[in-house]
Amino acid sequence: MTSTPPSSDAAWRELHARATEPYRQGSNFAWHFARGKLGHDPVFRGIVERGLIGEGRPRMLDIGSGQSLFANVLHTAQAMRAEGRWPAAWARLPADARYTGIELMPRDVERAQRSVGHIRPTPTIVCGNMCEADFPACDVVVILDVLHYVDHAAQEGVLVRVRDALAGGAAERDGVPGRLLLRVGDAASRRGFAISQWVDRTVTRIRGHKVSPTWGRTLDEWIALLQRLGFAVQPMPMSQGTPFANVLLISDLP
């Protein structure tokens, strides 16, 4: 007998519980942080519901991956689909994403590694600086809220290398464009941008890390930069339920 898929809200609650449960292996802090991040940051549900990662077996590069929450989200989504627990209104997600995370903070890398060992294929998690680490050929890149921690020249340097990594994976994609999912704050919205920066600094301290200076751009400046690098850009507001001025830039490389 086939089970009836849950409603969207019920499915999200189920995905939230199942995707964060492995972080109990990382530590009590890792579990509570994962639950708070997945429960209150709209970008995860926004990407999942719209199927922005794509289908098939994409090679996913998560830059500034933290505890590699996306690895567990995609793994849980695959399991829910196989069990008939995926809402019909949601787009399909990859069956077997090949995940690589790059994270600067060793403690976050350790928490992630203790929390993703059950996933196959096994995620690769690298402790490194995004400005220096090697980017493998890939199909989709996710960068959430971390580019503003490096100056403008370094931001462009990272994006150039992202473009090259996506271009390097083009042969395996067989004509499907590479995709960058980049969330940024719109510095033109002064109040929302200031609040988001304050929250980022607070969360960084809670995670036990040193707070760095930040460099912002307006939304128009982010889009112009990406277009100059060859991306076709679709902005999507991504601050629902928050006081922030965050935008997800869905950037495809033809």
Side-chain angles (χ1 to χ4, degrees), residues 142-204:
V142 176
I143 309 178
L144 303 180
D145 311 325
V146 297
L147 275 189
H148 56 253
Y149 286 117
V150 297
D151 64 32
H152 288 170
Q155 290 171 1
E156 182 166 351
V158 170
L159 292 174
V160 166
R161 293 168 57 236
V162 165
R163 178 198 62 192
D164 294 346
L166 289 169
E172 186 169 322
R173 289 195 299 271
D174 192 23
V176 178
R179 171 166 287 181
L180 165 64
L181 298 174
L182 172 65
R183 189 170 68 175
V184 296
D186 181 3
S189 176
R190 293 187 179 181
R191 182 174 182 274
F193 185 72
I195 293 173
S196 67
Q197 296 302 292
W198 179 83
V199 170
D200 274 356
R201 289 192 291 270
T202 301
V203 170
T204 299

